[in-house]
Amino acid sequence: MKRRTPGAIALLLGVAALTVAALTVAAVRPELRPWPGAGFRTQGASLLRPLFRGVAFTPLATVGDSLVPPTPEEGRFLFLPMPDGTAVQSIGRGLAEIYVAHGTSWEDGVGSGRVSRLLLDQETRRILAADWIVDGVESFERLSGATLAATREGFLTPHFLVGENSLQGPNHGVVAAVSVRSGIVTALPWLGRFQHQKALLLPFSNGRVTAILTEAGDPGRSQLYMYLAQSDTDFLGGRGQLYVLRADSPREGPDTQLASMVKKTRPLTGRFVPVQGFSVDGDPMAPSAVETSAQAVRALQFARLGDAAPDRLNPSAFYLADQGAENWIDPVSGRPVTGDGRIYRIELDAFDPTIVKDLRLLLDGDDADDLYRPDNLETDDRGLMIQENPGRRGLHPSRILRWDFNTRRLEPLAECAERDPQGRSIPEGTGGAWETAGIVDASSVFGAGTWLVTVKAPNDYSSPFHGRGGSGQLLLMRTPVLGEETEKAEAPAGKSAPSK
């Protein structure tokens, strides 16, 4: 486990008084080495079930799982509730490190947000050691989507970027950068204080760090931001500029500033314009300052932005999810801006990333696409993975969908094996309280067609936390590789063949 210096602890105790200055927490973080034994894998049943032939799951860790290190002073590791954004990297010698953000909060009685680090054997897929690289002392709230920024994104040393999806904690909605080598945790308020869902870094060839930032605010207060810096050190040091997306007026129809201006038959263009901000209690990036500045420049308004994922074949492009909101109405059409949610593709100028060459609607849940409340996204070079977040009971369980770039088909691959608060299986065709909360392409570590996914089960009270934060799970998902297997079939209900 990492240890804090007295100076770092004193700094943390004063976190509520921080404004523009970054919260930097130094840590002596020893390398995570395999503990004695053959390793650990959860005994918990899979919280996901397949809907497509060839899809299988290996549950790795379930909320409440406990790992005991070989020396008592290191402290016991617990896999905490609310697992969300995740990342993975191979570290050599047949080992991989997995990082998992936990969206816990003091309101849940579990403590503030943490980031788990798991050491995995790539062949046996068993956990050999575990600790926390964000251990709760930092007072982050509701940690959400995550990205591992490495060489391809312009970082000399890998950093795990994770955002607060809340304004309630002492940091008031920041992105944190965690050096997975040194253990230094740095808050980045210059990326704006708002409800962060994802900080996506695009691999531009010009050497600059280009970060796409999605705001999961309320309808009309959810915008798409960008932060540009000349290098990783400038990015981590606040020597860059924050921008917000403003769409160009459509050729037909009024300019409502609403994302409903984008239609499948009518893409838009636009530009990321600077967010100047102003000081609120000494902080020019306070939530009200950023929002007021975005509204002043007529930023494009979304219902509730979710994740963003890169286009693997075009470094200047990315995909974007809008979860939708039923009661946010477009004054021109009289219909919701998006009720069931949308997926966009945005292409930037290769030389000037502030120029939006093409803002295109790909999938629309209100227009015949089998899509409801898309939230988290991930890509490989053949398709787009979409995780739904229904957010309520009575529709269907949260699903994992795949959109095939070649065939343009949208297929459900899996869904939550949801249970009610009494632990009983729910009737077919209902559900939505559970969420498939995070997904990352793991093919470089575990082979083609593999993905790491997390599940949040907030109404499952079977965990040792007595219902606080619910249950959840980290799983390895294996899917058919597009182009090699396309046949859809019914899978045995509630069962998942184990991955080898």
Side-chain angles (χ1 to χ4, degrees):
M1 296 291 180
K2 62 184 180 181
R3 295 174 172 81
R4 305 287 178 185
T5 65
I9 294 174
L11 180 60
L12 283 166
L13 293 175
V15 66
L18 290 175
T19 54
V20 180
L23 164 65
T24 301
V25 182
V28 179
R29 177 183 170 274
E31 179 183 355
L32 197 57
R33 298 179 181 275
W35 296 341
F40 170 85
R41 189 190 296 165
T42 187
Q43 298 300 306
S46 174
L47 299 187
L48 289 170
R49 55 175 168 247
L51 300 174
F52 196 94
R53 177 172 294 173
V55 174
F57 300 99
T58 301
L60 301 176
T62 302
V63 168
D65 282 345
S66 175
L67 283 78
V68 180
T71 55
E73 60 268 17
E74 291 184 84
R76 183 178 63 159
F77 171 83
L78 282 173
F79 193 68
L80 295 172
M82 307 292 285
D84 205 305
T86 185
V88 61
Q89 67 169 346
S90 175
I91 61 172
R93 307 184 305 280
L95 302 175
E97 281 190 350
I98 297 174
Y99 314 100
V100 182
H102 297 267
T104 49
S105 166
W106 286 107
E107 295 178 355
D108 302 322
V110 182
S112 58
R114 299 198 188 192
V115 175
S116 294
R117 176 177 58 149
L118 310 173
L119 183 66
L120 218 72
D121 185 304
Q122 289 178 234
E123 182 176 355
T124 67
R125 299 174 184 183
R126 300 180 74 87
I127 300 171
L128 304 178
D131 66 358
W132 295 297
I133 54 173
V134 172
D135 59 15
V137 181
E138 302 85 355
S139 299
F140 295 127
E141 286 282 298
R142 305 290 184 197
L143 294 178
S144 186
T147 298
L148 187 64
T151 305
R152 186 170 181 266
E153 292 77 24
F155 277 65
L156 294 178
T157 59
H159 281 71
F160 184 77
L161 302 181
V162 61
E164 289 186 298
N165 198 321
S166 172
L167 302 177
Q168 301 307 311
N171 294 292
H172 302 297
V174 297
V175 172
V178 186
S179 171
V180 299
R181 290 187 183 175
S182 69
I184 293 176
V185 181
T186 304
L188 311 176
W190 39 84
L191 302 188
R193 296 188 193 268
F194 50 80
Q195 290 174 261
H196 286 274
Q197 175 65 23
K198 184 63 171 283
L200 170 69
L201 271 67
L202 298 179
F204 269 81
S205 59
N206 58 18
R208 286 191 293 180
V209 173
T210 304
I212 300 298
L213 307 161
T214 64
E215 180 183 14
D218 294 330
R221 298 175 64 88
S222 178
Q223 293 98 21
L224 184 64
Y225 293 86
M226 172 188 288
Y227 189 84
L228 292 180
Q230 293 297 320
S231 66
D232 57 342
T233 55
D234 286 345
F235 179 83
L236 296 172
R239 294 180 293 275
Q241 175 64 53
L242 183 67
Y243 301 82
V244 69
L245 174 61
R246 181 176 64 200
D248 295 332
S249 298
R251 293 181 179 179
E252 300 176 4
D255 184 351
T256 63
Q257 295 179 243
L258 304 179
S260 50
M261 294 190 300
V262 187
K263 304 183 185 302
K264 287 185 178 180
T265 57
R266 188 177 70 186
L268 295 182
T269 57
R271 179 179 288 273
F272 283 90
V273 296
V275 175
Q276 301 299 338
F278 56 91
S279 180
V280 176
D281 296 329
D283 184 358
M285 289 302 172
S288 57
V290 174
E291 181 64 31
T292 300
S293 181
Q295 298 291 347
V297 297
R298 295 179 57 81
L300 185 64
Q301 308 294 329
F302 295 89
R304 182 179 173 85
L305 285 180
D307 208 347
D311 185 326
R312 304 289 179 180
L313 303 179
N314 183 345
S316 304
F318 61 95
Y319 298 89
L320 180 69
D322 190 338
Q323 298 178 52
E326 296 175 349
N327 298 321
W328 191 42
I329 305 301
D330 183 326
V332 175
S333 68
R335 301 175 56 193
V337 173
T338 172
D340 291 352
R342 288 176 156 197
I343 301 293
Y344 301 93
R345 182 182 181 273
I346 297 178
E347 184 175 355
L348 309 176
D349 185 272
F351 299 99
D352 183 356
T354 64
I355 297 175
V356 177
K357 293 172 56 178
D358 188 74
L359 169 54
R360 187 171 299 270
L361 177 60
L362 294 184
L363 297 171
D364 187 349
D366 296 343
D367 187 20
D369 291 317
D370 183 18
L371 183 73
Y372 185 72
R373 300 291 165 84
D375 192 356
N376 299 289
L377 305 176
E378 178 60 308
T379 54
D380 59 13
D381 58 359
R382 300 188 181 191
L384 171 69
M385 305 292 277
I386 304 168
Q387 292 178 308
E388 295 177 320
N389 180 14
R392 65 181 185 183
R393 297 286 304 278
L395 297 171
H396 57 69
S398 170
R399 300 177 298 176
I400 300 176
L401 312 173
R402 180 172 63 185
W403 191 60
D404 188 326
F405 293 151
N406 184 38
T407 66
R408 320 290 282 188
R409 292 178 60 186
L410 183 65
E411 298 280 7
L413 299 186
E415 68 180 8
C416 286
E418 191 170 335
R419 299 186 297 269
D420 66 18
Q422 286 73 42
R424 301 169 299 194
S425 296
I426 61 173
E428 184 177 353
T430 64
W434 292 15
E435 175 191 356
T436 57
I439 184 166
V440 66
D441 178 12
S443 58
S444 64
V445 178
F446 299 110
T450 57
W451 311 79
L452 279 172
V453 298
T454 58
V455 174
K456 292 191 289 190
N459 67 343
D460 184 341
Y461 305 136
S462 62
S463 80
F465 297 93
H466 306 292
R468 292 174 295 182
S471 188
Q473 200 168 61
L474 170 70
L475 308 93
L476 187 66
M477 179 173 70
R478 186 180 69 234
T479 65
V481 177
L482 285 174
E484 297 178 7
E485 174 65 58
T486 59
E487 182 181 0
K488 182 180 179 181
E490 288 291 332
K495 294 185 179 180
S496 165
S499 297
K500 297 181 179 178

